[in-house]
């Protein structure tokens, strides 16, 4: 059938993953560092992904395409939710506080955004640090300057095929978060992490103070 569907310009795509996170139907995934329409029948043609793209790589076109399959989309969402509802299948994912006797300032486990349970008790009253994976390697004093006194969550929007904003929104909604700091790298793909946090703060409906700090590849702070 002829219908309206999205078109992704791979030359313009910077690989930030914002469109994949915005696509609640799961039609877009990241492939080889670029956004790709992987299921035409999952694309509803409404274009929630368009305003999220920071580089104008997504447009509409009318062409022959598979019809939107709402039942398949709902079934895929249900399967994903069922998988996410079993966070403690691995012992290493068990949520716990960490009482430090070393120089490490990591206050809790797990620290990956994907793995952190949204109702963990350590979130209440926490100052939250949401950091890009690479910041720990680029900035030598990350523990003392940024992690001290905070609950730390880490992730990479380019490598993780998930919508961080949905998980972070639930964390902010379900807990009394005192503040949020975003620690990101200067590279374009890290914009996806900052966008996800901003969206989560907005969608939480709460007035939560937040701040973003950028680290250069050579370890300088670019505030």
């Amino acid at each position: 059938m002829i219908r309206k569907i999205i078109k992704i310009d791979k030359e313009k795509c910077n690989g930030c993953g914002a469109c994949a996170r915005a696509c609640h139907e799961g039609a877009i995934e990241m492939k080889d560092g670029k956004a790709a329409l992987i299921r035409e029948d999952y694309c509803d043609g409404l274009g929630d992904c368009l305003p999220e793209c920071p580089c104008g790589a997504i447009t509409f076109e009318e062409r022959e395409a598979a019809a939107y399959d709402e039942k398949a989309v709902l079934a895929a969402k249900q399967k994903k939710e069922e998988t996410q509802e079993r966070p403690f299948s691995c012992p290493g994912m068990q949520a716990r506080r960490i009482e430090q006797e070393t120089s490490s300032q990591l206050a809790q486990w797990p620290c990956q955004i994907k793995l952190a349970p949204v109702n963990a008790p350590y979130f209440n009253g926490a100052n939250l640090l949401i950091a890009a994976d690479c910041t720990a390697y680029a900035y030598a004093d990350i523990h003392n300057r940024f992690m001290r006194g905070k609950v730390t969550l880490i992730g990479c929007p380019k490598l993780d095929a998930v919508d961080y904003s949905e998980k972070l929104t639930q964390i902010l909604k379900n807990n009394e978060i005192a503040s949020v700091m975003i620690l990101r790298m200067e590279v374009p793909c890290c914009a996806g992490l900052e966008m996800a946090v901003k969206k989560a703060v907005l969608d939480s409906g709460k007035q939560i103070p937040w701040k973003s700090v950028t680290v250069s590849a050579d370890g300088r702070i670019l505030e």
Side-chain angles (χ1 to χ4, degrees):
M1 64 180 294
I2 302 295
R3 70 181 184 96
K4 185 169 69 172
I5 196 167
I6 66 161
K7 179 181 180 181
I8 301 173
D9 187 334
K10 293 188 180 297
E11 293 298 320
K12 292 183 179 180
C13 176
N14 68 0
C16 70
C19 59
R21 292 187 293 275
C23 180
H24 301 295
E25 288 72 33
I28 302 174
E29 289 185 5
M30 304 306 295
K31 297 291 184 182
D32 299 322
K34 298 285 186 176
L37 178 62
I38 51 105
R39 289 288 299 259
E40 290 185 352
D41 57 335
Y42 281 19
C43 178
D44 59 10
L46 298 179
D48 288 346
C49 54
L50 267 71
E52 299 299 325
C53 179
C55 49
I58 303 177
T59 56
F60 278 124
E61 64 176 346
E62 286 197 11
R63 62 173 175 82
E64 183 73 28
Y68 174 59
D69 190 342
E70 184 177 12
K71 288 184 178 179
V73 170
L74 293 175
K77 285 184 177 180
Q78 181 64 33
K79 184 177 180 180
K80 180 180 178 181
E81 289 174 359
E82 289 174 353
T83 301
Q84 292 178 338
E85 286 174 357
R86 297 190 293 271
F88 303 128
S89 57
C90 168
M93 295 168 63
Q94 181 68 48
R96 63 182 185 271
R97 290 183 183 273
I98 297 176
E99 299 297 333
Q100 290 295 349
E101 296 181 359
T102 68
S103 59
S104 172
Q105 296 300 319
L106 184 63
Q108 92 296 332
W109 186 267
C111 57
Q112 285 281 351
I113 297 173
K114 290 171 60 177
L115 303 181
V118 298
N119 294 311
Y122 49 70
F123 281 128
N124 280 314
N127 292 296
L128 190 59
L129 174 67
I130 301 176
D133 291 356
C134 295
T135 57
Y137 299 94
Y139 191 74
D141 199 31
I142 186 173
H143 281 257
N144 290 320
R145 179 161 180 180
F146 294 107
M147 292 172 59
R148 184 186 296 273
K150 296 183 179 68
V151 168
T152 301
L153 295 179
I154 64 172
C156 176
K158 190 168 185 177
L159 298 180
D160 288 342
V162 295
D163 185 351
Y164 286 150
S165 65
E166 293 181 2
K167 179 72 170 284
L168 293 174
T169 297
Q170 291 304 310
I171 290 173
L172 298 182
K173 275 187 175 181
N174 294 343
N175 304 281
E176 294 303 319
I177 301 296
S179 68
V180 178
M181 175 178 284
I182 308 158
L183 188 63
R184 53 163 292 186
M185 297 298 296
E186 62 178 334
V187 294
C189 57
C190 258
L193 182 65
E194 185 168 343
M195 291 171 63
V197 176
K198 290 179 180 179
K199 186 175 188 301
V201 172
L202 181 64
D203 291 349
S204 73
K206 296 182 177 181
Q207 298 295 320
I208 302 174
W210 64 271
K211 177 183 180 182
S212 181
V213 178
T214 301
V215 179
S216 69
D218 59 359
R220 293 175 293 114
I221 301 298
L222 306 175
E223 295 183 80

